Amino acid sequence: DVGEVVIINNTFVNIKTGIDVFTNVVGGGIVVKGNSINVSNIGISLKKGYGIIENNTINAKMPSLAIDYDKITYAAITYSAAVFIDNSDDVKVLNNRVTNSYTSFSGMFDTIEGILIRASKNPVVKSNMINVTGHNYTYALKFVSMMDSDYNVVGCLNINVADNIINSKCDYYYANAVEVDGPVTGKLLNNSVSVEAADVVYGIYS
């Protein structure tokens, strides 16, 4: 729980839980640049803060688990994303190599994600290579909404997704390169996407 900007630069992280930052004051956040991050859980988790995630190599290997839901807001609770950005505005994800692959699976609708962004304004995802291999439901880049405590639906507004290479492979059922859940505004430009699954595939789903 931080009040200012945490800077993690040019280091090697090889741990289970990754980098987890929650900030509850204006101006708090994280800058992660030039790192090699090997994890068996969420690699970078940012909640309610400003962030720059740039020039990192993130290698995640983790179980593909069923998504749970908050009993009050019905917001999805994810367990299997390499990068999770939640309710954080003006975050920039630039020039990273993000890989996430499953080691095991559990639950009827087990799910794995590369980069998951929820209820955040002005996110920029540019010039990244994202590779995700899952078992049942596989998402490489996903933007989702949530319901706040007043039951208003909060989406991702003014998204900017450009010049990324995005690969989503599923060994069993469903693969999605980019999913954009509403309400949402923004643009997707000049991205290269590849999807592979035994049953259902979407390059871009909205």
Side-chain angles (χ1 to χ4, degrees):
D1 189 349
V2 299
E4 298 181 355
V5 175
V6 174
I7 298 176
I8 302 172
N9 192 29
N10 296 318
T11 190
F12 182 81
V13 180
N14 189 5
I15 53 179
K16 180 178 180 181
T17 56
I19 299 166
D20 190 349
V21 173
F22 174 84
T23 179
N24 55 8
V25 299
V26 175
I30 190 170
V31 177
V32 184
K33 287 188 176 183
N35 301 284
S36 180
I37 302 170
N38 296 332
V39 289
S40 57
N41 205 318
I42 295 176
I44 298 174
S45 178
L46 174 62
K47 302 178 183 70
K48 295 185 179 180
Y50 170 78
I52 298 175
I53 301 169
E54 185 174 4
N55 292 326
N56 302 284
T57 298
I58 303 167
N59 293 311
K61 294 182 179 180
M62 65 184 69
S64 178
L65 302 176
I67 292 176
D68 203 356
Y69 293 90
D70 186 278
K71 292 180 174 60
I72 297 175
T73 65
Y74 304 104
I77 302 170
T78 188
Y79 300 102
S80 303
V83 177
F84 180 34
I85 297 166
D86 185 19
N87 197 20
S88 300
D89 297 339
D90 304 308
V91 173
K92 295 178 176 62
V93 183
L94 310 171
N95 298 301
N96 301 281
R97 181 182 291 269
V98 179
T99 302
N100 195 5
S101 56
Y102 78 103
T103 55
S104 61
F105 59 90
S106 177
M108 184 177 296
F109 303 106
D110 66 277
T111 301
I112 196 167
E113 293 134 339
I115 299 174
L116 175 62
I117 301 176
R118 182 169 69 184
S120 301
K121 298 177 183 177
N122 310 314
V124 177
V125 181
K126 188 173 183 180
S127 301
N128 302 279
M129 179 174 286
I130 308 167
N131 298 300
V132 183
T133 301
H135 169 256
N136 201 358
Y137 285 83
T138 306
Y139 302 87
L141 175 61
K142 190 174 183 181
F143 296 89
V144 298
S145 58
M146 66 173 291
M147 190 177 294
D148 64 18
S149 58
D150 295 322
Y151 300 100
N152 299 306
V153 178
V154 181
C156 292
L157 302 180
N158 194 32
I159 68 172
N160 185 346
V161 180
D163 304 319
N164 300 283
I165 299 173
I166 304 170
N167 302 306
S168 179
K169 179 182 177 182
C170 182
D171 287 345
Y172 178 53
Y173 178 62
Y174 179 99
N176 192 325
V178 181
E179 176 162 326
V180 183
D181 293 342
V184 65
T185 60
K187 57 189 178 182
L188 288 82
L189 298 173
N190 198 37
N191 299 284
S192 174
V193 301
S194 173
V195 287
E196 180 181 344
D199 200 339
V200 180
V201 295
Y202 290 102
I204 300 174
Y205 183 89
S206 178

